[in-house]
Amino acid sequence: MIELLRIENLALVESVELEFGPGLNVLTGETGAGKSIILSALALLTGGRAASDALRSGADEGVVEALFRMDGHEDVANALVHRGLVDGELVKAAEDEPAKPGKKGSKKAAAAQAALAAEEAPELIVRRTLHANGRSRARVGGQLVPVSTLVEIFGGQLEISSQHGSQALRHAEVHAVALDAYANQTSVRGIVTRMVTRVGELDREIATLRAADEERARRLDFLEYQRDELDGEELDTAGVAQLEADHRRLTHAERLAEEMATVASALGGDGGGESAESAIGEARRALASAIRMDPELETLSARLETIESELRDVSVSSADYLADLEIDPARLSQIEERIGRLENLRKKYGQSVEEMFAHRDEIEREIESLTGADDRIRTLGKERESAVEAANAASAKLSKARAKAAKKLAKIVEAELGDLAMKGARFAVDLSPLSADDRPDGLETGPGGRERPQFLFSANEGEVPRPIQKVASGGELSRLFLAIKNSLRRADRNMVIVFDEVDAGIGGAVAERVGRVLAELATEHQVLCITHLPQIAAFADRHFVVRKESTKGRTRTHVAEVRDDARIDELARMAGGENVTEVTREHARSLLQP
């Protein structure tokens, strides 16, 4: 519900605040006082377009701001969470563990629901700002949002009925939602919608897979070639390192032979000069003679012996290396050929063996995904069969419930219309089945069910009922809207319902009946009603008077709640004109009697 509505610089309004309450809130006042400005302000909160002359003359900015209570409207709370406009943790906890009727429920659920009701619900502020340059801004909960967000969240929650304004029941797509809610089949309708939507998603995925068969085959051939190319080289880190070492040795074999011959000659003395071994032998002899004179030199002798042993070992190893060293152009050619292939692989798949292995793993995974496409199509086909079966079963149940509810709703609405001085009016619910073209293959239903429910109306006896949007107009539309809304009052989820001109063309006992119907509707919804009839205004839980005043050459609209004697005076004015007498006051008092 709306707790507070604030309007600034809109048309004749300079600044107005209205504190609405639950139940029936009535606005009265003379014609032209500015009651329609309230309607315009409410329409702006639902994303309605602002007229170019909506701002008060001379103002640069106009504001409409409302404080909403959200308790009991989890659908709206969830929409806000989905858009990141409120914290979703409490909402999620309340949804995950809902308290069941007659049971205490979990402490977590109770805490979440209590917190949601106590903290988030009362604190939602919606603001619409209009600027003189024609631009408009919207904020929800303090966050800037596109104006379209107001339509999406509040368009179906704040519903306005007037002779000149449209409302949701004039749109045929809303009729099915209302009928299903009346039949208590909203959850079943949800199943139908989800399953039909899922069938569409599966069909698109299957079609995509099938359309990609040729491209998939080409891609698969390419990937298998790459995999075979990598596998053909039998890559491993140690093997590649050894291959590169062999290549270096064979490439420099002749130079290696020369150098290693020099090493052998230097160590063994085969070159004709003094060898390292001869020099060490001479040093050992001299050292032995010195030790006899100074025994402490014994440690040097031991070290020299070690060096001599190492030199002999190096000499032998050098000779062995030289003996084994081969100069093999054929072997070198083979190695160079393989290294050339390895370099090509590096250019394609990575410089290191590890990078090439990683690329091969990616290739293998993609091959698996491509070769599994046929399996995926079969799996999706089975899932589609299950979704089709579920959709058809749920839609059959929904259709059966709709047929019963349609007849019952028609009788109730016609009875309501009779009480609202429309005795000859007829109301019916058409359940025309969908054509095959409106259903995916295999489905017996569309996302909204097997039929397109549509409300039909005829204001005159003997006339065939036709779609509401084609035949209802003016006061008829407002009273029809009231009759339907009151019949659906326990099924609808509106926060606020607004009526303007619902009293057009009626009076007396009929006006009293309209007031009673509004009061009945207000037991389930917050209702705002603009009226000129005291018989209707007398049923209000809160009564506001709209007045137009001129001061200092400017006209301003004021709105104030009236109670007690002030309210009696307003009802008396409505009943008898500006000259309020004790007789009209007494009449007003009688209207307020229960």
Side-chain angles (χ1 to χ4, degrees):
M1 59 171 261
I2 299 176
E3 280 194 337
L4 180 70
L5 178 67
R6 183 171 69 88
I7 307 171
E8 289 185 359
N9 293 326
L10 192 66
L12 296 178
V13 171
E14 186 175 65
S15 181
V16 159
E17 273 195 7
L18 296 88
E19 292 188 27
F20 294 123
L24 178 58
N25 297 261
V26 164
L27 294 99
T28 63
E30 295 180 355
T31 299
K35 298 185 293 298
S36 61
I37 299 173
I38 310 300
L39 283 181
S40 299
L42 293 172
L44 288 171
L45 292 177
T46 64
R49 295 185 63 181
S52 58
D53 58 349
L55 284 182
R56 180 172 171 78
S57 178
D60 294 326
E61 180 181 275
V63 175
V64 178
E65 191 172 47
L67 176 64
F68 281 90
R69 285 186 60 88
M70 305 294 292
D71 41 332
H73 289 274
E74 290 80 8
D75 50 344
V76 180
N78 288 332
L80 294 168
V81 171
H82 178 69
R83 291 167 174 81
L85 299 174
V86 298
D87 182 5
E89 291 301 317
L90 294 174
V91 177
K92 185 177 186 302
E95 283 183 338
D96 289 346
E97 301 187 55
K100 298 179 179 179
K103 297 185 179 181
K104 293 182 179 179
S106 73
K107 292 182 179 179
K108 178 182 177 183
Q113 291 163 345
L116 180 61
E119 294 183 14
E120 293 192 34
E123 297 300 327
L124 185 67
I125 296 176
V126 181
R127 179 185 176 96
R128 182 85 179 270
T129 306
L130 310 179
H131 299 277
N133 60 9
R135 301 180 70 179
S136 170
R137 293 287 183 269
R139 291 182 182 270
V140 175
Q143 296 191 47
L144 191 66
V145 299
V147 173
S148 59
T149 299
L150 299 182
V151 180
E152 294 166 3
I153 296 177
F154 299 104
Q157 298 294 331
L158 201 163
E159 197 165 351
I160 300 172
S161 171
S162 68
Q163 288 197 47
H164 308 292
S166 62
Q167 31 73 17
L169 284 175
R170 298 190 74 167
H171 304 285
E173 60 269 18
V174 178
H175 300 176
V177 176
L179 178 63
D180 294 340
Y182 180 76
N184 198 27
Q185 296 295 308
T186 299
S187 60
V188 177
R189 176 190 173 89
I191 293 172
V192 174
T193 301
R194 287 194 300 275
M195 291 299 100
V196 172
T197 301
R198 183 55 183 155
V199 169
E201 293 170 348
L202 292 168
D203 283 344
R204 287 189 291 273
E205 187 173 354
I206 291 170
T208 299
L209 289 172
R210 287 176 174 163
D213 273 348
E214 185 176 340
E215 177 59 31
R216 187 168 67 247
R218 286 196 296 268
R219 179 66 177 168
L220 189 58
D221 285 344
F222 175 67
L223 292 171
E224 288 175 341
Y225 168 78
Q226 288 188 322
R227 181 186 62 185
D228 294 343
E229 189 176 36
L230 286 166
D231 288 347
E233 292 302 321
E234 299 179 355
L235 297 172
D236 67 84
T237 304
V240 169
Q242 183 60 51
L243 180 69
E244 291 173 338
D246 289 346
H247 180 255
R248 286 193 300 272
R249 186 169 55 252
L250 286 168
T251 300
H252 303 291
E254 292 183 357
R255 178 70 182 275
L256 282 169
E258 292 176 3
E259 299 295 347
M260 291 310 295
T262 301
V263 171
S265 175
L267 294 176
D270 293 340
E274 186 178 10
S275 68
E277 188 175 353
S278 298
I280 289 176
E282 183 178 351
R284 285 190 64 189
R285 289 190 294 272
L287 188 58
S289 176
I291 288 172
R292 287 194 293 272
M293 293 178 282
D294 184 358
E296 290 185 1
L297 295 172
E298 187 67 42
T299 56
L300 291 178
S301 178
R303 290 167 64 189
L304 191 59
E305 184 178 352
T306 300
I307 292 172
E308 185 180 23
S309 176
E310 285 293 323
L311 280 173
R312 281 197 300 269
D313 186 61
V314 171
S315 179
V316 171
S317 296
S318 298
D320 290 344
Y321 180 87
L322 189 57
D324 292 339
L325 184 63
E326 62 176 342
I327 300 175
D328 188 348
R331 171 67 175 155
L332 176 60
S333 177
Q334 291 175 352
I335 290 177
E336 286 182 338
E337 183 180 344
R338 190 174 178 205
I339 284 180
R341 294 197 301 271
L342 182 62
E343 287 302 318
N344 287 334
L345 294 180
R346 282 173 168 161
K347 292 177 182 177
K348 296 179 181 179
Y349 310 119
Q351 289 299 308
S352 68
V353 174
E354 289 76 10
E355 289 175 341
M356 286 188 268
F357 281 155
H359 191 83
R360 189 201 179 286
D361 291 341
E362 292 179 8
I363 290 172
E364 193 63 42
R365 282 193 293 270
E366 189 174 352
I367 287 174
E368 288 177 2
S369 69
L370 292 174
T371 54
D374 290 338
D375 293 337
R376 177 63 177 161
I377 289 174
R378 284 190 289 271
T379 300
L380 293 176
K382 291 179 181 179
E383 186 178 346
R384 186 187 190 280
E385 290 176 4
S386 298
V388 167
E389 184 178 350
N392 288 341
S395 65
K397 179 180 179 181
L398 181 63
S399 292
K400 186 176 181 181
R402 281 175 170 175
K404 293 181 179 179
K407 294 178 181 179
K408 185 177 179 181
L409 179 62
K411 291 181 180 179
I412 293 174
V413 173
E414 284 189 353
E416 292 279 352
L417 290 171
D419 288 341
L420 296 173
M422 300 177 75
K423 284 288 184 184
R426 290 184 59 197
F427 178 84
V429 181
D430 179 62
L431 296 174
S432 299
L434 296 179
S435 67
D437 293 337
D438 295 325
R439 310 188 304 262
D441 184 43
L443 280 170
E444 299 169 1
T445 179
R450 301 185 179 204
E451 313 83 11
R452 283 198 180 92
Q454 182 162 253
F455 294 162
L456 309 179
F457 173 73
S458 170
N460 304 302
E461 187 174 0
E463 294 295 323
V464 177
R466 298 174 60 198
I468 286 175
Q469 58 270 32
K470 294 183 179 180
V471 295
S473 62
E476 290 178 352
L477 181 62
S478 294
R479 274 181 282 165
L480 172 62
F481 181 58
L482 175 58
I484 294 173
K485 279 296 179 183
N486 197 40
S487 300
L488 296 171
R489 66 180 181 274
R490 291 185 176 87
D492 269 355
R493 299 297 299 157
N494 302 94
M495 282 189 198
V496 186
I497 303 175
V498 183
F499 289 93
D500 181 31
E501 307 289 355
V502 71
D503 52 10
I506 63 171
V510 175
E512 182 180 350
R513 177 54 190 160
V514 169
R516 290 189 184 279
V517 173
L518 286 167
E520 287 177 8
L521 181 59
T523 61
E524 300 291 337
H525 305 272
Q526 183 185 47
V527 177
L528 310 183
C529 180
I530 296 174
T531 183
H532 296 282
L533 298 180
Q535 295 93 331
I536 293 176
F539 285 92
D541 296 296
R542 291 198 181 191
H543 187 161
F544 299 86
V545 177
V546 182
R547 293 189 176 92
K548 185 168 61 175
E549 299 177 356
S550 296
T551 57
K552 298 181 180 180
R554 293 299 303 271
T555 302
R556 296 174 177 84
T557 290
H558 295 276
V559 184
E561 183 180 1
V562 292
R563 299 178 182 178
D564 304 326
D565 290 345
R567 185 181 184 194
I568 290 172
D569 285 346
E570 173 62 11
L571 291 174
R573 181 199 65 78
M574 296 172 70
E578 290 300 321
N579 296 321
V580 176
T581 65
E582 190 55 38
V583 173
T584 55
R585 285 193 182 94
E586 188 60 33
H587 175 59
R589 292 188 188 97
S590 68
L591 292 176
L592 293 173
Q593 296 300 315

